[in-house]
Amino acid sequence: MADTEFLVAHGLRKAFGPFQAVDSVSFTISQREIFGLLGPNGAGKTTVIRMMSTVLKPDDGHISIGGFSVTADSDSVRKLIGVCPQELALYPELSATDNLVFFGRMAGLNGRQARESARENLERVGLQDRARDRVEQFSGGMKRRVNIAIALMSRPQLLFLDEPTVGIDPQSRNHIFETVENLRDEGMTVLYTTHYMEEADRLCDRLAIMDHGSIIGLGTPRELKSEIGNPDRVTLEDVFLEYTGRRLRD
């Protein structure tokens, strides 16, 4: 894993009215790293991604991606990133290929480029055999995998994956794990949010544990577990319980 910092976030704050969604969040992500944001629903993970992907402007703090300021040079940032949101953004009446080609053209690819990228990315998520089938015929997990393929159409250097395995079947979950690991091995940087401890432990090179809008732990999974006991016996849920006094799933 390279040491070059590709994403730098410092002092991020975001409030919605009286509710402080993100409070003084700082971390860095290196190139070729899978960095996890682990925490319960409502911890602020999605708000952090929305700020980093230029959708929301921070109330305070600074974010740079690939050397570009997210607020001052958002156009350059958007060329570097791909975003896979929690919500599915698909046209169910279209085939998987047609969905990818449509979004690829929206991202600026020409027709040939979009078709080639669609083929590559459907193979990447294990759906090449269903390329011509309408998305409305797919399971929830397969739709999630199409959503990830769409996020890859612009050939991003940094991929944001926001809770990509919520409510899906084990086969699709394993496909997503393999896809993320392969992307990292190919040189991509990934920011992965989840509230599943096992996912963070398996996938993430480093992670930040979030609760109530703040980071309460930061390091490799093994480092975080070592802080409270034997890392071969302690779980990330034990770490969360130690820091907050409650279970992650409470």
Side-chain angles (χ1 to χ4, degrees):
M1 183 177 65
D3 292 328
T4 305
E5 292 178 345
F6 192 70
L7 182 151
V8 178
H10 180 73
L12 297 184
R13 296 173 60 88
K14 185 66 182 180
F16 300 99
F19 176 64
Q20 191 71 44
V22 175
D23 190 4
S24 300
V25 163
S26 301
F27 60 86
T28 63
I29 305 177
S30 299
Q31 287 181 313
R32 301 174 65 99
E33 181 176 33
I34 301 174
F35 186 90
L37 287 179
L38 173 66
N41 293 329
K45 305 186 300 295
T46 296
T47 302
V48 168
I49 281 189
R50 293 179 72 194
M51 288 191 286
M52 292 180 172
S53 58
T54 77
V55 175
L56 278 179
K57 186 174 181 180
D59 295 336
D60 196 12
H62 174 75
I63 311 163
S64 66
I65 295 176
F68 299 105
S69 166
V70 166
T71 50
D73 201 351
S74 56
D75 286 344
S76 295
V77 168
R78 290 187 192 107
K79 294 176 183 177
L80 298 176
I81 65 174
V83 183
C84 183
Q86 288 187 47
E87 302 81 15
L88 294 173
L90 304 170
Y91 290 98
E93 70 278 9
L94 297 182
S95 70
T97 293
D98 288 344
N99 265 280
L100 267 64
V101 168
F102 173 79
F103 285 104
R105 296 299 301 271
M106 291 283 286
L109 303 181
N110 63 36
R112 182 189 59 78
Q113 291 171 329
R115 288 189 295 273
E116 177 64 18
S117 186
R119 184 193 63 76
E120 291 174 359
N121 286 311
L122 284 174
E123 183 173 354
R124 195 184 298 277
V125 298
L127 290 174
Q128 64 271 30
D129 294 340
R130 304 294 300 273
R132 296 187 179 184
D133 293 346
R134 291 195 305 275
V135 167
E136 64 189 1
Q137 300 172 344
F138 288 4
S139 69
M142 292 166 66
K143 290 176 182 176
R144 287 269 176 197
R145 287 150 63 189
V146 175
N147 225 32
I148 292 173
I150 287 171
L152 294 169
M153 285 297 290
S154 61
R155 301 185 174 96
Q157 296 182 44
L158 170 62
L159 177 65
F160 294 107
L161 290 173
D162 194 6
E163 298 274 6
T165 64
V166 170
I168 68 172
D169 57 275
Q171 181 183 20
S172 286
R173 178 174 284 110
N174 287 330
H175 267 295
I176 289 172
F177 292 164
E178 291 171 6
T179 298
V180 172
E181 289 167 337
N182 288 338
L183 290 169
R184 186 262 317 275
D185 293 344
E186 293 168 13
M188 191 173 293
T189 306
V190 179
L191 175 59
Y192 190 103
T193 82
T194 182
H195 61 269
Y196 297 129
M197 293 74 66
E198 302 85 356
E199 289 188 6
D201 212 349
R202 168 177 169 170
L203 288 175
C204 298
D205 300 304
R206 289 188 306 128
L207 59 92
I209 300 178
M210 288 192 70
D211 192 36
H212 298 301
S214 298
I215 290 178
I216 59 175
L218 179 65
T220 69
R222 191 169 184 86
E223 286 170 348
L224 290 168
K225 289 184 286 186
S226 295
E227 290 179 5
I228 67 168
N230 183 338
D232 295 320
R233 306 176 81 171
V234 169
T235 69
L236 289 176
E237 184 158 358
D238 294 330
V239 176
F240 188 82
L241 177 63
E242 177 75 13
Y243 286 153
T244 67
R246 63 190 178 89
R247 288 286 174 187
L248 186 56
R249 298 177 189 273
D250 286 354

